[in-house]
Every structure is written in C-alpha cells, then in structure tokens.
Amino acid sequence: MAETMQSLEELSALKPATPEAPKYEQKIDKQGRAYATGKRKNAVARVWIKPGPGKVVINGRDVEVYFARPVLRMMIQQPLVSSNRNGQYDIICTVSGGGLSGQAGAVRHGISKALTAYEPDLRGILKRGGFLTRDSRVVERKKYGRAKARRSFQFSKR
C-alpha cells in the first residue's frame, strides 16, 4: 500500500498539460485568393477574396446593381466593417438559390469565412459578432391537411 502512495509533486507531474487553443492557418490558392462557402435559408454563396481596392462583384454584376436595397448592401459589409478591413479586399461571389435576403445572408457568411481563411487572427472578432455561425433557420414544410405549414383551412359552422 505504501508503494502506491506518491507525494503531491509526483501527482502534479502526472497531470496532463492543459491543451492549447488550436492554431488556424492561412488558406490561400495559387492566385492569392481565399475561398469560402456561405449559406442562409436556401441560398448558397461561393466567395473569393483577395487584397484590392474593395470592389464587390456578385454574379458578374456590381453590388449596387445586384443588391439594390441599402440594407442588403450594409449586411454584406458588416464583417468587413467590424474587422476594420473595409475597402482592403476585392470580393467575387457567385450566389444561387433563395431570395435576395437569403442571398445577402449567404454572401455575408461566405465573406466572414473567407476572411478567417485569409487572416486567421480575425476569427475571434468575427466569432464574437456572430458572423461565422450559419443561421440554420429554414422555411417549415407544408403538411397535408393544412393550408400552409401550420395554418388550418378556414372553418365554417354552416
């Protein structure tokens, strides 16, 4: 029994070291771009970013043409503004599926992920802002015996 007893110093040496936070690496292709896929509702956006004057092109069109509403343009710029990188990256996107609001959310998600691929140090800022989390809310499917997902058909007593 006395052989199994150890001093406190020996026991503390047996304790495993605390694991370090994972180090994220920069992921850049041969053209010097970072790629990411963003999703929101039924929209999927493929996003490439590279250093440049801050031009944003979506499906071959300028951002002011594609997203005419200022709210959607502001939504796309949020990750860049929160990380103080506004006007430092050119952004090229191809987006498909869903409506304009879902597409803007998908582009925002893709830009955030591409920024972390290009500059891994920005991950903490973007994570705190909630830009890296995929918004998983989607439209509920229609059920049989119902007018919509939950709405019943109109009831008439007579």
Side-chain angles (χ1 to χ4, degrees), residues 4-53:
T4 58
M5 293 297 242
Q6 298 171 337
S7 67
L8 289 174
E9 290 80 24
E10 293 173 13
L11 287 174
S12 64
L14 292 175
K15 187 173 68 173
T18 56
E20 292 183 20
K23 301 288 183 201
Y24 295 98
E25 296 179 5
Q26 188 180 35
K27 297 182 184 110
I28 298 177
D29 64 3
K30 291 174 184 147
Q31 287 88 20
R33 304 175 301 183
Y35 169 78
T37 304
K39 294 181 179 180
R40 170 79 172 96
K41 293 188 178 180
N42 282 334
V44 179
R46 299 184 304 161
V47 179
W48 291 268
I49 65 165
K50 62 180 179 180

Side-chain angles (χ1 to χ4, degrees), residues 46-113:
R46 299 184 304 161
V47 179
W48 291 268
I49 65 165
K50 62 180 179 180
K55 189 175 181 196
V56 181
V57 177
I58 300 169
N59 287 352
R61 290 189 272 173
D62 201 36
V63 69
E64 284 82 17
V65 176
Y66 196 84
F67 291 118
R69 292 186 3 224
V71 174
L72 299 178
R73 288 197 300 268
M74 179 213 56
M75 200 168 139
I76 288 170
Q77 294 295 325
Q78 281 177 336
L80 297 167
V81 171
S82 68
S83 61
N84 292 326
R85 299 294 188 270
N86 205 1
Q88 295 182 19
Y89 290 105
D90 284 342
I91 301 167
I92 298 115
C93 304
T94 58
V95 63
S96 63
L100 284 177
S101 176
Q103 287 185 352
V107 170
R108 180 177 85 164
H109 186 226
I111 289 171
S112 305
K113 286 171 64 176

